[in-house]
Amino acid sequence: MINFFNQSEVEKARKQKTKVLIIYFITLAFVIAIFSVVFITYLTFAYEDPRTPALKLSFEVLLVVYVIFSYVYLTIKYKRVNKYYKYLVNQQTGLKEKTEGKFLCYNNTRQIKDGVDFKSFKMLTISIKTGKEVERQVLVDYEKDFPTFTEGQKIKVTTQGNVLFGYEIME
């Protein structure tokens, strides 16, 4: 059986997740430092100083830019990295299902499941409930290469949540 995932990938994803968070918190500390300087400068101004409106405007602009940055960074970058990490952890701890069948074709179109990108391949298997042949679509991590199957080849796949975990060529 050829496994599609190993422990080093989980560690890489965990490090990437930590790196993304560290970058965000460094940015947060930098912005807090700038806000502190602006606030202290504001406190040192006289009662109706002509520079006060410009200082307030710079504070408000910086705040809006940081809120937009936080929203974009956390909802796009961090969310995707975190989903991928959770997916890899789930691949190690989830229930595995083994299926035998004949390979049909590859499907290179991008599909998103639980926030992670996948591509797929189709195979013919025997349904446990009906005993008839059914077409099954197995998802493969989009960043990985497809396993090398030829059309009609008998294969045995191990999946977890319909995502390929491992495979074996029967012929």
Side-chain angles (χ1 to χ4, degrees):
M1 170 97 27
I2 299 170
N3 285 334
F4 230 52
F5 297 98
N6 55 29
Q7 185 63 30
S8 67
E9 291 181 48
V10 176
E11 290 302 315
K12 275 195 242 176
R14 186 185 56 77
K15 286 179 183 177
Q16 185 180 17
K17 176 182 165 185
T18 305
K19 180 181 167 187
V20 167
L21 278 177
I22 287 172
I23 289 171
Y24 178 75
F25 285 124
I26 288 172
T27 309
L28 177 65
F30 181 71
V31 168
I32 288 173
I34 291 175
F35 284 165
S36 300
V37 168
V38 169
F39 183 70
I40 290 171
T41 305
Y42 174 74
L43 290 178
T44 60
F45 282 170
Y47 177 62
E48 287 183 4
D49 195 305
R51 299 174 292 176
T52 302
L55 190 63
K56 284 183 178 179
L57 181 65
S58 66
F59 179 81
E60 291 165 357
V61 167
L62 184 61
L63 181 63
V64 167
V65 167
Y66 185 70
V67 166
I68 291 171
F69 164 77
S70 294
Y71 179 75
V72 170
Y73 191 77
L74 291 177
T75 59
I76 294 174
K77 179 82 171 171
Y78 178 72
K79 185 177 178 182
R80 289 186 62 81
V81 168
N82 191 38
K83 293 270 186 179
Y84 187 69
Y85 174 71
K86 286 181 179 180
Y87 152 72
L88 287 176
V89 169
N90 191 32
Q91 281 288 18
Q92 291 187 330
T93 59
L95 295 173
K96 312 283 187 291
E97 176 187 336
K98 293 186 179 187
T99 307
E100 291 183 20
K102 290 182 182 179
F103 175 74
L104 290 178
C105 63
Y106 295 115
N107 182 3
N108 244 343
T109 57
R110 185 180 302 240
Q111 303 169 23
I112 298 176
K113 177 184 176 190
D114 299 331
V116 181
D117 294 337
F118 292 101
K119 53 189 175 184
S120 64
F121 67 85
K122 293 182 180 179
M123 61 186 284
L124 276 178
T125 61
I126 306 286
S127 172
I128 297 171
K129 292 180 182 177
T130 62
K132 297 178 183 176
E133 276 191 335
V134 292
E135 200 174 273
R136 180 173 179 193
Q137 184 173 339
V138 179
L139 300 173
V140 179
D141 190 347
Y142 197 79
E143 297 174 2
K144 293 184 176 261
D145 294 330
F146 278 118
T148 52
F149 301 137
T150 57
E151 190 174 337
Q153 191 173 33
K154 287 183 105 181
I155 56 174
K156 184 178 191 178
V157 296
T158 304
T159 58
Q160 195 278 320
N162 209 34
V163 176
L164 183 65
F165 184 77
Y167 66 92
E168 185 177 345
I169 298 172
M170 303 300 283
E171 293 178 353

